[in-house]
Amino acid sequence: LAQVQASLHVSDSSRTEQMDNESTVNGYEVIGLENLPSDGPALLIYYHGALPIDMYYLTAETMLKRNRLIHTVGDRFLDHIPGWRLVSRVMKVTSGSVQSCVSTLRAGELLSIAPGGVYEAQFGDSAYEILWKGRTGFARVALEAQVPIIPMFTVNIRECFRTVSFAKWIFVRLYGVLKIPVLPFYGGFPVKLRTVLGKPIAYDEALSPAALHEKVAGAIAELVREHQRLPGDILQAIGLTGSVDGIKLLIQNETLLNNLLDLTSEESVSKDAVLCLVNITAEETGAAVIVDKLSERLVPIAYQAVLDENCKLSDAWCMVLCNITRPERLVERVVQQLLAIEFSLEKLTTCFTRIAYNKQKCHLNYLGPLFSNVSQSKTGREVFCNQTTGLLRRLLPFVHHDGSIVRRGGAVGLLKNICFDSSAHEWLLSEEMNVLPFILLPLAGPEELDDETNEKLPVDLQYLGPDKKREEDPDVRKMLVESLAQLCATRKGRVYLREHGAYEILRELHKFECSPEGDKIVLIAVENVVDILIRTEEEIGEDNLKQLDIPDDVKTKIESLSEEVEK
């Protein structure tokens, strides 16, 4: 009980775990991973860089995050490379005919194809032109298999490795004869690679292969226009803010930082300037300097950019605000800067809740983590819990948002942080707010419960049926379970949870977390809550567990044990 109670003693500045890709740092990043189906077939069509290292990275990322292997179509010349056949068998790389590709998809697998192939790899350049030469094989595969196509493009893929540009016409002729790569390449530059997975293009039987070819090529060209600096530039892609040493150099010069902030208003370089700020603030050291030196200017600028529905950089500014509010020691100062602007959080909530608010295709998903970070602060929580403005009530539905893990995770983090305040529990569990269904529904699965149990559950959780899917992300599940743990702090909360079927939902979740699909850390969190709910109030003997005094040496042992478990 002491261990469970200790987990309830989290300071007001307790931070929420970061969701995937919440900040931009040097390395590899995937945007739109939620567009890949968790099961079932899909065809990924991607732009081919000089070396397709982005496909290797994405395959690894997909295995780690989705436990799915992407089958890949490779050129036939690869079979002549010593040792390649063994690698290709393990990584499911084949030269692939139309029929074999269709068979792979009909087996429910993910398959990736680069229609430009070796030609695009060799003769593409920093202009990122699509070089598919009218190839429609991939379109015939998708139409015959009746699967969606997911367009894919990796930012800076041609700044990482490049092919030589001199006498290219000679190599074009050689390739036309030999049909193998002949153009030398160079590179390995430490640029930021960011793979963007676009929205799935649904199967449409009315489309011809040629029409589907044009549609997919257009989708990838749009990804290039939206995300890639053109023409590509190696030095710009590497950038000072792309490395820790570069960031350290910049943050030592306040004049440079002020000039950088000034450049965010210069149209020709504004995108680069804002992205530099994203990179700088991704490191806590950089975020601290920015808050110390620039917050009085930066916060209002960022706020106005997010509020501007025609701003093309709203997402980047959201990331900056998210980064500078993430560290516990900085959040209160930034919150005060925000609250100095009248109704700032109320207006940002309006931006967030209107999905198509921004007219320039900015999604504003990172407002979710921003709200979560702000709620680390007691002042921030008070704003969200204001019953007159009803901000929390407006944000609760996004706990179930399917479109973005970042948006959904931010909403869950906000709810979790608010649950830390036991004085708000009675209000949170009241008919007015009724947060329990929002917490339990993502934790529930397709398990069939008896009538007696269903009667105990909130209406939204009764008779869910075999198609009900449990929250896929373990970090989100963990935060939801931790929210329940906080609601168990008071006697009224514990009684309410027992009477409304929380134990039964956790019982089924426990079975899931014990399975190969489950997560050990979430399992421990579930067991902590169950340990409380299965006890009688007489056994617990305390009305409010947060008021228990735990000796410092016991606290230290518990914290050490928790750290070991998480490792």
Side-chain angles (χ1 to χ4, degrees):
L1 185 60
Q3 181 177 354
V4 174
Q5 188 270 336
S7 71
L8 299 171
H9 275 274
V10 182
S11 67
D12 285 343
S13 59
S14 172
R15 61 168 284 196
T16 301
E17 291 88 348
Q18 288 292 292
M19 295 293 97
D20 293 345
N21 308 328
E22 279 192 12
S23 59
T24 302
V25 294
N26 195 35
Y28 181 69
E29 178 184 8
V30 179
I31 296 175
L33 191 60
E34 66 273 10
N35 291 328
L36 276 184
S38 56
D39 52 53
L43 179 59
L44 283 81
I45 301 299
Y46 64 99
Y47 174 88
H48 202 310
L51 284 181
I53 59 171
D54 52 335
M55 201 61 243
Y56 311 148
Y57 281 135
L58 180 64
T59 298
E61 188 85 356
T62 306
M63 280 294 295
L64 290 171
K65 298 289 178 61
R66 293 297 183 87
N67 196 28
R68 300 199 68 185
L69 178 62
I70 300 176
H71 294 233
T72 302
V73 173
D75 197 280
R76 290 181 177 84
F77 86 88
L78 293 170
D79 293 334
H80 300 292
I81 299 176
W84 175 255
R85 291 188 178 182
L86 175 60
V87 174
S88 65
R89 282 200 300 271
V90 174
M91 298 299 293
K92 304 297 183 184
V93 181
T94 64
S95 54
S97 64
V98 169
Q99 287 307 315
S100 67
C101 290
V102 170
S103 297
T104 298
L105 291 167
R106 285 178 175 169
E109 303 291 349
L110 298 173
L111 178 68
S112 68
I113 298 176
V118 174
Y119 185 88
E120 187 172 64
Q122 292 184 101
F123 306 119
D125 55 27
S126 58
Y128 286 89
E129 183 181 358
I130 307 297
L131 302 177
W132 291 0
K133 302 180 68 175
R135 295 175 178 175
T136 60
F138 77 90
R140 288 187 284 125
V141 168
L143 291 171
E144 188 169 339
Q146 300 184 8
V147 297
I149 289 178
I150 299 172
M152 167 184 158
F153 171 71
T154 298
V155 178
N156 293 330
I157 189 63
R158 285 209 169 270
E159 278 57 71
C160 188
F161 286 94
R162 282 192 172 181
T163 51
V164 298
S165 57
F166 64 90
K168 187 174 286 188
W169 64 273
I170 296 177
F171 292 104
V172 171
R173 289 189 176 183
L174 279 174
Y175 174 74
V177 174
L178 301 175
K179 299 300 182 184
I180 61 172
V182 291
L183 192 60
F185 67 87
Y186 62 97
F189 298 109
V191 302
K192 172 77 179 184
L193 294 179
R194 183 181 292 110
T195 292
V196 183
L197 298 174
K199 293 292 183 184
I201 299 172
Y203 165 70
D204 184 351
E205 63 179 1
L207 290 177
S208 66
L212 183 57
H213 168 282
E214 291 300 320
K215 187 172 184 178
V216 177
I220 292 181
E222 178 61 28
L223 292 179
V224 173
R225 284 192 294 271
E226 185 175 349
H227 297 279
Q228 178 64 51
R229 177 192 175 102
L230 296 175
D233 184 291
I234 293 174
L235 293 178
Q236 188 277 333
I238 295 174
L240 276 176
T241 62
S243 67
V244 174
D245 290 339
I247 290 173
K248 286 180 179 178
L249 180 64
L250 275 176
I251 62 178
Q252 292 173 9
N253 191 315
E254 186 175 349
T255 302
L256 272 179
L257 292 176
N258 275 288
N259 290 341
L260 181 61
L261 185 57
D262 291 337
L263 289 174
T264 62
S265 61
E266 297 290 335
E267 186 174 355
S268 60
V269 293
S270 58
K271 181 177 180 180
D272 292 331
V274 178
L275 291 180
C276 283
L277 289 172
V278 173
N279 283 352
I280 291 171
T281 56
E283 297 290 335
E284 184 170 338
T285 303
V289 172
I290 293 296
V291 171
D292 286 339
K293 307 296 185 183
L294 299 182
S295 62
E296 289 188 10
R297 293 180 59 210
L298 181 143
V299 171
I301 291 173
Y303 168 77
Q304 290 298 334
V306 175
L307 221 61
D308 182 358
E309 61 183 17
N310 291 308
C311 178
K312 296 180 180 180
L313 299 175
S314 294
D315 279 342
W317 279 115
C318 283
M319 290 181 185
V320 173
L321 289 173
C322 181
N323 285 344
I324 63 176
T325 53
R326 189 169 64 246
E328 297 177 11
R329 61 192 179 99
L330 303 179
V331 62
E332 186 65 38
R333 292 161 62 187
V334 180
V335 167
Q336 293 303 324
Q337 294 287 347
L338 279 171
L339 295 183
I341 305 169
E342 190 174 20
F343 302 121
S344 59
L345 288 176
E346 290 82 355
K347 291 179 180 178
L348 290 176
T349 299
T350 298
C351 298
F352 184 77
T353 54
R354 288 171 54 187
I355 299 297
Y357 176 86
N358 186 279
K359 309 303 182 188
Q360 301 298 325
K361 299 183 179 180
C362 290
H363 304 296
L364 306 185
N365 290 329
Y366 284 89
L367 283 177
L370 172 63
F371 295 155
S372 176
N373 292 342
V374 167
S375 66
Q376 297 178 108
S377 156
K378 187 175 187 297
T379 306
R381 289 198 298 274
E382 288 173 351
V383 174
F384 286 113
C385 290
N386 187 309
Q387 297 183 37
T388 302
T389 58
L391 296 190
L392 181 60
R393 191 162 52 249
R394 294 168 61 189
L395 293 168
L396 275 177
F398 290 93
V399 168
H400 304 156
H401 184 72
D402 290 332
S404 166
I405 180 61
V406 175
R407 184 177 285 254
R408 183 168 76 251
V412 172
L414 168 65
L415 178 57
K416 171 194 164 185
N417 287 346
I418 288 175
C419 286
F420 279 126
D421 187 353
S422 57
S423 65
H425 286 184
E426 189 170 349
W427 172 66
L428 291 172
L429 296 174
S430 67
E431 289 187 13
E432 177 190 357
M433 293 304 297
N434 195 25
V435 301
L436 188 59
F438 290 97
I439 299 174
L440 293 181
L441 188 59
L443 299 176
E447 298 83 10
E448 185 175 349
L449 303 174
D450 58 42
D451 291 341
E452 182 180 352
T453 299
N454 273 295
E455 288 300 318
K456 289 177 64 176
L457 293 170
V459 174
D460 292 345
L461 280 92
Q462 294 179 5
Y463 303 101
L464 293 176
D467 295 331
K468 172 65 173 70
K469 290 187 177 181
R470 186 174 274 111
E471 168 61 54
E472 294 181 351
D473 191 281
D475 289 329
V476 174
R477 294 201 305 273
K478 179 172 178 281
M479 288 192 289
L480 289 165
V481 174
E482 289 172 343
S483 300
L484 292 174
Q486 298 307 315
L487 293 174
C488 285
T490 62
R491 181 188 182 98
K492 286 184 178 179
R494 295 189 293 271
V495 171
Y496 186 90
L497 264 59
R498 293 189 191 105
E499 291 177 348
H500 290 80
Y503 167 76
E504 285 77 7
I505 296 296
L506 290 175
R507 180 189 65 201
E508 301 304 319
L509 177 62
H510 186 273
K511 296 176 185 176
F512 172 80
E513 301 298 352
C514 288
S515 73
E517 299 176 83
D519 183 271
K520 182 175 70 172
I521 303 300
V522 182
L523 177 64
I524 293 170
V526 171
E527 290 175 347
N528 285 341
V529 180
V530 170
D531 281 345
I532 297 176
L533 293 179
I534 62 176
R535 297 173 187 269
T536 66
E537 289 304 316
E538 289 72 22
E539 289 175 314
I540 294 174
E542 288 287 340
D543 181 50
N544 192 331
L545 296 179
K546 290 193 175 186
Q547 294 175 355
L548 278 175
D549 289 326
I550 301 177
D552 290 339
D553 61 327
V554 176
K555 281 185 182 179
T556 302
K557 289 180 181 178
I558 292 172
E559 290 171 358
S560 176
L561 179 62
S562 298
E563 289 175 1
E564 289 180 12
V565 169
E566 292 197 6
K567 288 179 182 178

